[in-house]
Amino acid sequence: MKDLQTDWLKCFVAVVDAGSLTAAGAEVHRSQSAVSMQLKKLEAAVGCRLLERDARQLQLTDEGRTLLGYARRLLDLQAEAQAALQGEPLSGLVRLGVPDDYASRYMTPVLKRFAPRHGGVEIQLDCEQSTSLIPRVASGDLDLALISRDHARRGTLLFHEPMVWVGSPQFDVWKRTPLPIAVYEAESLGRRSALQSLAVQGRPYKVVYNSSSLAGQIAAVESGLAVAVLTQCSAPAHLQVLGAEHGLGPLAPMEVAVYRSATSKQSKAVDHLHRMLVQTLRQAG
């Protein structure tokens, strides 16, 4: 087996994350044909197919899934070595966005690691729903955001966050017909997931509370006004998780991704925080 060259691995990981050769080419600054050639060299070096390609999609083979985890670790280690030898301390401003749902559970541990290492970097943190953060990153108003992505090529996938129905254990709101529900704004993926689940069940419902605030959703549930759909990480322990035994069906999980603006590509501070987010939060494979 030949040595695995870094450029081959970068292209391989970029194709998996971006979902296509064309999109990966933009990430690694190569043409589609050059990316394809790098993949062929990598497959020749390991002696097996890593990706099955057709006109519509790319699919990892079993060998590809195995190599992917190692490739990420090798690239991360190289980046850490380069940073350690850089010598020049980081500075500048990073404009960062995160939904309330993910701030405490996921963003806080990352910032606790980042801040002591890079004290010269100023972090400007905005907490908003993903539906607000995505256009701000796209326009360059934010450098990075942790988001529930709205389509498969939005940012770099980190993990899947389960969604749960919640109600107050003091009120049997789930027994009512139509079911009173609290929802986020109209564009919210959480709202869409809730309504789709109820539609599949054919269960009548009535929206009795609208809010883009996590605190507002929790208050509506605590007061017995409604049931709601929350990310599992944000559901308070004192609320009751509801399921099939309460007449409520399953919910599709959120795809949580880190999304970076094109205008931040020259910022070393953004490079380092983006890398740390991926290293800390991404699930293996």
Side-chain angles (χ1 to χ4, degrees), residues 11-30:
C11 286
F12 173 54
V13 172
V15 168
V16 173
D17 290 343
S20 73
L21 298 180
T22 301
E27 290 294 321
V28 297
H29 308 292
R30 290 177 179 269

Side-chain angles (χ1 to χ4, degrees), residues 177-193:
T177 301
L179 178 71
I181 61 172
V183 293
Y184 285 106
E185 68 278 11
E187 298 82 9
S188 165
L189 295 175
R191 175 181 180 137
R192 190 183 309 170
S193 179

Side-chain angles (χ1 to χ4, degrees), residues 220-236:
V221 175
E222 288 176 332
S223 65
L225 183 64
V227 299
V229 167
L230 302 180
T231 52
Q232 182 173 276
C233 66
S234 68

Side-chain angles (χ1 to χ4, degrees), residues 58-195:
L58 295 166
Q59 186 71 37
L60 281 167
T61 63
D62 290 341
E63 293 82 2
R65 278 187 287 272
T66 298
L67 179 61
L68 181 60
Y70 288 107
R72 295 196 196 283
R73 288 160 57 189
L74 287 166
L75 294 175
D76 288 344
L77 187 59
Q78 175 186 258
E80 287 182 17
Q82 291 172 331
L85 296 171
Q86 206 171 34
E88 182 180 343
L90 289 179
S91 61
L93 170 68
V94 179
R95 300 165 302 171
L96 178 65
V98 61
D100 289 337
D101 307 46
Y102 303 144
S104 177
R105 175 71 177 272
Y106 299 122
M107 189 60 74
T108 298
V110 175
L111 295 181
K112 280 184 176 180
R113 288 184 59 201
F114 185 85
R117 299 183 188 186
H118 307 294
V121 177
E122 178 186 353
I123 304 292
Q124 177 181 301
L125 183 63
D126 286 5
C127 289
E128 299 179 33
Q129 290 297 311
S130 295
T131 48
S132 299
L133 295 174
I134 289 170
R136 292 186 63 190
V137 175
S139 69
D141 185 47
L142 290 175
D143 300 311
L144 283 174
L146 190 65
I147 60 166
S148 298
R149 67 181 184 179
D150 52 351
H151 64 71
R153 295 184 183 179
R154 180 83 68 190
T156 300
L157 178 64
L158 301 177
F159 58 90
H160 290 81
E161 175 66 26
M163 302 293 291
V164 293
W165 291 100
V166 294
S168 170
Q170 299 175 349
F171 304 96
D172 293 336
V173 177
W174 53 271
K175 292 182 177 179
R176 299 178 190 170
T177 301
L179 178 71
I181 61 172
V183 293
Y184 285 106
E185 68 278 11
E187 298 82 9
S188 165
L189 295 175
R191 175 181 180 137
R192 190 183 309 170
S193 179
L195 300 189

Side-chain angles (χ1 to χ4, degrees), residues 210-225:
N210 276 278
S211 174
S212 61
S213 161
L214 173 62
Q217 296 287 319
I218 293 173
V221 175
E222 288 176 332
S223 65
L225 183 64

